[in-house]
Amino acid sequence: MKKLILLFVWAMLPLMASASVKAVTVKDINYVIDSETHIAIVVNPNGAKKPSVYKGDVVIPSEIEYDSEYYTVNAIDQYAFYQCADLTSVTFESTVTSSIGDYAFYDCTSLVKVKFGMDLNTIGKYSFYNCSALTDHNMYNLADIPDYAFAKSGISSSVVGSNVSTIGESAFEECPNFEYISLSIGDALTTIGKNAFRNSGLQQFGITVDLTDIDFSAFAYTKLGQIEVPEEHPLYEPSDGMTVNAIIEKSTGKLILGGGSNVIIPSFVSTIAENAFLGNSNVSEVSIPNSVTSIGQYAFAGCSNLNTVTIPKSVTKIDAY
């Protein structure tokens, strides 16, 4: 009997916890409020994965009044502005914005400007996916940029501040205005995920000694021309004095990522890795030295402006594509 009572109480906990929570509408904006914490969160009244209702320029107040009680607005829930095709701007009056949920502004194709509290450091996956008009923002204090967060958006590289430690899978894929990443000593970035900048406008990439976890598919189909590697990097050869813009493994001599126009590969390179120059439209000429013995699959695939390649007799293996 005691066990049955405990199970009953456990089953009732979610209902007990939600007794203070209510969905309300205040001045045409929809919230979920909690009468115990006096916190309000902006929500989609139509529910997850359904087009939301907001249009034009939306101003979200720092505080709302409901039933003679005041509530602090501090977050935007997942799907809150999902597929709001006529939404043009969102201004968050509060200086404290704790988070933006997954898919919050997904497919808001007319959204040009977002302004949030400067304490905003957390956004969800797909949060600004396909916001193709988005160029004006103040999201400079993000801690991480999750998967697909800005894919197909108009965002520039200014969104990657010194606090960002991780750039997730396809985070900036197909972002034409994203042109460079230039890091400084002490910046937090350590991880770049799969396809992070694929088919973007990326032209310049510089790393720090702490950036060691890189999925190099991140740079496929870009215009990458300049690559900077510090002398102190534990894994890769420094870029100073090299005749090529590249990331080359110290331990193996493998050229993992390359860029530039007239590419002269150094004589200490032993292998050109798969996808090393994949889709790089900046590459026009490549000279490969006698030290290279193999070229990986897709190494120069999709290099639409490549017209001259010198391949020495030392190369005995060229993989598919």
Side-chain angles (χ1 to χ4, degrees), residues 17-301:
S18 64
S20 63
V21 175
K22 180 184 292 186
V24 302
T25 302
V26 179
K27 296 183 179 179
D28 298 324
I29 298 176
N30 299 275
Y31 305 91
V32 165
I33 60 173
D34 189 327
S35 59
E36 291 183 357
T37 63
H38 283 81
I39 294 295
I41 299 173
V42 181
V43 298
N44 181 349
N46 297 326
K49 299 183 180 180
K50 294 181 180 179
S52 195
V53 297
Y54 304 103
K55 297 180 180 180
D57 300 327
V58 174
V59 178
I60 300 170
S62 58
E63 187 178 63
I64 61 171
E65 181 183 2
Y66 181 79
D67 201 16
S68 299
E69 298 278 346
Y70 288 91
Y71 298 84
T72 300
V73 184
N74 78 340
I76 295 173
D77 197 20
Q78 59 181 354
Y79 297 98
F81 295 88
Y82 186 79
Q83 291 187 330
C84 289
D86 297 321
L87 180 71
T88 53
S89 74
V90 174
T91 301
F92 206 93
E93 288 186 342
S94 174
T95 57
V96 179
T97 313
S98 63
S99 64
I100 296 173
D102 296 348
Y103 300 87
F105 294 92
Y106 181 97
D107 208 21
C108 292
T109 53
S110 298
L111 181 64
V112 175
K113 178 181 179 180
V114 290
K115 184 177 181 182
F116 303 106
M118 291 304 292
D119 287 340
L120 174 69
N121 61 16
T122 303
I123 62 174
K125 63 182 180 181
Y126 290 90
S127 47
F128 294 94
Y129 181 90
N130 203 33
C131 292
S132 53
L134 179 61
T135 56
D136 193 354
H137 70 90
N138 67 338
M139 294 181 285
Y140 304 119
N141 294 314
L142 298 179
D144 294 295
I145 299 177
D147 297 350
Y148 294 89
F150 296 101
K152 296 187 177 182
S153 78
I155 207 79
S156 71
S157 52
S158 61
V159 78
V160 182
S162 59
N163 296 324
V164 172
S165 63
T166 301
I167 296 176
E169 179 179 346
S170 298
F172 298 101
E173 185 172 1
E174 296 187 47
C175 290
N177 296 332
F178 197 101
E179 296 182 348
Y180 67 90
I181 284 191
S182 185
L183 302 175
S184 301
I185 295 173
D187 284 359
L189 188 63
T190 59
T191 304
I192 294 177
K194 181 180 179 181
N195 296 326
F197 311 105
R198 187 183 180 94
N199 202 25
S200 71
L202 188 67
Q203 300 175 32
Q204 180 180 336
F205 175 56
I207 66 177
T208 65
V209 293
D210 296 319
L211 180 52
T212 56
D213 185 5
I214 306 173
D215 188 316
F216 287 97
S217 68
F219 305 94
Y221 293 94
T222 64
K223 300 176 181 178
L224 195 57
Q226 185 174 347
I227 303 172
E228 297 175 357
V229 182
E231 185 174 352
E232 301 84 3
H233 201 284
L235 301 180
Y236 310 124
E237 294 285 350
S239 55
D240 285 350
M242 287 210 309
T243 56
V244 66
N245 284 285
I247 291 180
I248 302 168
E249 279 185 343
K250 287 182 176 179
S251 60
T252 64
K254 179 187 289 187
L255 191 155
I256 302 173
L257 178 69
S261 178
N262 185 1
V263 178
I264 302 174
I265 295 174
S267 59
F268 60 83
V269 171
S270 62
T271 304
I272 299 174
E274 62 181 37
N275 305 323
F277 294 85
L278 176 60
N280 191 324
S281 59
N282 196 25
V283 177
S284 62
E285 192 170 332
V286 177
S287 180
I288 301 172
N290 290 324
S291 57
V292 173
T293 59
S294 65
I295 299 172
Q297 63 180 352
Y298 294 97
F300 297 97

